[in-house]
Amino acid sequence: MTPRFALIGVVTSDMAAALAFYRLLGLVFPEGSEEQPHVDAELPGGLIFALDTEKTVRSFHSGWQPPVRGGRVGLAFRCDSPAEVDARYEDLVDAGYHGELKPWDAFWGQRYATVHDPDGNGVDLFAPLPTAE
């Protein structure tokens, strides 16, 4: 049997703050998740997006420490249009999240932007640009 990719996990220092951020991006978590040490949101196709508190991770890995610098994993959310990239970026920045890279038309044919979640993880927003004919 071949292993199959099933879960994306993010460790957070503040569950409520992380939930607020990812809910603004459309992820659905159960009510009352703010008080839980681990929560899941099912994504289309059965993939799971999970949040764990630092305390949870330390419960099974006592020496774990959060990275000092940014990680090498990127998260990206596809938007329906370039205008939605701009709107989602503004919604997140207006809600107090750090806008790392303002929306721009990338040379590879996408409207692209990057916002940091409450733990400093880069979260990209993108949508295909209309093709010129």
Side-chain angles (χ1 to χ4, degrees):
M1 178 180 239
T2 303
R4 111 186 127 85
F5 185 61
L7 185 139
I8 299 165
V10 173
V11 179
T12 181
S13 60
D14 183 336
M15 182 65 81
L19 287 166
F21 178 86
Y22 287 104
R23 282 176 171 150
L24 279 174
L25 288 169
L27 297 187
V28 177
F29 295 93
E31 288 297 319
S33 292
E34 291 77 4
E35 304 304 319
Q36 299 301 312
H38 169 94
V39 295
D40 293 341
E42 188 169 336
L43 305 175
L47 191 62
I48 296 168
F49 183 86
L51 292 169
D52 287 290
T53 63
E54 292 176 356
K55 183 177 179 181
T56 299
V57 174
R58 286 191 190 101
S59 75
F60 60 83
H61 184 350
S62 61
W64 182 85
Q65 293 295 318
V68 177
R69 295 170 32 161
R72 294 179 181 240
V73 174
L75 301 173
F77 285 74
R78 182 181 180 134
C79 298
D80 289 333
S81 67
E84 186 184 358
V85 170
D86 294 1
R88 289 289 180 160
Y89 178 88
E90 289 303 320
D91 289 346
L92 290 163
V93 170
D94 289 349
Y97 302 105
H98 172 70
E100 176 67 13
L101 184 62
K102 290 182 179 180
W104 65 290
D105 292 343
F107 61 87
W108 56 84
Q110 293 176 332
R111 185 74 172 164
Y112 218 85
T114 303
V115 179
H116 285 164
D117 76 4
D119 293 291
N121 297 304
V123 178
D124 298 339
L125 307 169
F126 71 96
L129 290 170
T131 54
E133 295 186 27

